Amino acid sequence: EGEAMSGKDGKPGWSCYSGPGLPDRQAFKQIGGAGGAQRVKRGEDSGFGQPGLVAGWVPGQDPVIYPDNSGILLQPGDELVLQIHYHYDKAPQPDQSTVSLQLTPGTQAVKPISIVNPIAPVEIPCMPGQTAPLCDRNASLANDGQLYGPLGSLAEPALLGACGKTADQLAAQFVDGVAHTTCDFKVPQNGYIVAAMGHMHTLGKSFRFTLNPGTPQQQVLLDIPTWNFDWQMNYALAKPLHVTAGETIEMSCSWDRSLDPNRAPKYIVFAEGTEDEMCVGTYVMIPDK
């Protein structure tokens, strides 16, 4: 299907928004060894975000090296789909991106890892007293649909529903130019978390992953109290942490409009543009047997 889409318009690759736009043909996968195989829904394996995610790049990220004897399992004939966002201030230039993979022979005892991709909604109203057509939330959603296609205006309502939140609830937390969002996710399976990463855009203020929040077992997996868009690292845990299926991981993001006070007024929701915003995380698991 990817090959059928690539070049259909007479150009290399294909245009897409958010994900690559391919159907998820591996909604179920087999895990476990002999006598222990079970069918697991893909969503339970890779989180709410992109299924089959292998890697991503954001500003400031170094090459990601996983613990010894662990990695992404690749089979003969597998293909990787690479999605890139382009923004040109002037005439488009030829793409010079490259990808480098560190490979280990499949004959070695390598543990396959899972990359879990939580995503949360974003609701950042205009500052009090600001008046502009795009300060209206519905107008802003419609504008995102014009910029990015139908998914541009549908992503935010879907994320609100998945997190059990409403736009009014999150907008009510907007105080003195600072907005907040939190969303709870269930750990999909037993295993060790070995790395974690957060992603927001240029209004980002803070990011946090918390395991079992509000309980005696609470542990902070990743805390970025002062966000920097140009320094988005994949952080390896000092010691791999064992988690159990069903435990809660809370993802929290905050944004501060004072970081860009001269920006054109617009009600900001989850969307792809750098002057839109996101609350996205990944954490890397080595599942138990």
Side-chain angles (χ1 to χ4, degrees), residues 65-112:
I65 306 297
Y66 293 117
D68 290 345
N69 302 316
S70 66
I72 299 287
L73 178 63
L74 300 176
Q75 302 282 10
D78 281 351
E79 292 188 349
L80 297 176
V81 176
L82 175 66
Q83 184 196 28
I84 303 180
H85 299 181
Y86 293 102
H87 177 88
Y88 297 107
D89 290 322
K90 299 178 181 178
Q93 299 296 314
D95 185 285
Q96 300 182 57
S97 303
T98 61
V99 175
S100 178
L101 301 177
Q102 182 176 354
L103 301 175
T104 299
T107 52
Q108 295 191 17
V110 177
K111 298 176 182 177

Side-chain angles (χ1 to χ4, degrees), residues 105-266:
T107 52
Q108 295 191 17
V110 177
K111 298 176 182 177
I113 64 174
S114 295
I115 298 179
V116 189
N117 183 207
I119 303 178
V122 177
E123 297 283 337
I124 310 175
C126 289
M127 293 294 290
Q130 279 188 325
T131 57
L134 293 182
C135 284
D136 177 80
R137 184 177 183 275
N138 291 331
S140 177
L141 285 170
N143 178 251
D144 288 340
Q146 293 171 354
L147 290 172
Y148 308 119
L151 277 176
S153 56
L154 295 176
E156 178 67 9
L159 291 172
L160 286 168
C163 287
K165 303 289 177 64
T166 68
D168 289 343
Q169 283 177 327
L170 295 181
Q173 300 180 47
F174 182 68
V175 178
D176 296 331
V178 178
H180 303 270
T181 195
T182 60
C183 192
D184 290 344
F185 303 87
K186 297 298 182 183
V187 173
Q189 55 189 305
N190 298 349
Y192 286 89
I193 295 179
V194 298
M197 179 181 171
H199 173 66
M200 296 184 292
H201 291 174
T202 54
L203 292 183
K205 177 179 172 64
S206 65
F207 181 95
R208 178 177 284 196
F209 264 143
T210 306
L211 177 68
N212 296 318
T215 73
Q217 291 77 39
Q218 174 175 309
Q219 287 183 275
V220 176
L221 302 179
L222 176 61
D223 183 28
I224 306 175
T226 305
W227 178 259
N228 186 330
F229 179 72
D230 296 318
W231 189 35
Q232 300 182 59
M233 306 296 290
N234 188 74
Y235 294 94
L237 273 63
K239 180 180 179 182
L241 176 66
H242 192 267
V243 292
T244 304
E247 287 188 288
T248 297
I249 290 184
E250 177 189 79
M251 184 168 66
S252 300
C253 295
S254 70
W255 302 270
D256 188 350
R257 279 196 175 273
S258 70
L259 296 172
D260 190 2
N262 297 320
R263 180 179 298 192
K266 181 180 179 180

Side-chain angles (χ1 to χ4, degrees), residues 1-17 19-23 79-84 86:
E1 281 154 331
E3 290 174 350
M5 293 172 66
S6 181
K8 199 171 183 179
D9 59 358
K11 304 173 184 178
W14 64 93
S15 296
C16 57
Y17 169 79
L22 293 171
E79 292 188 349
L80 297 176
V81 176
L82 175 66
Q83 184 196 28
I84 303 180
Y86 293 102

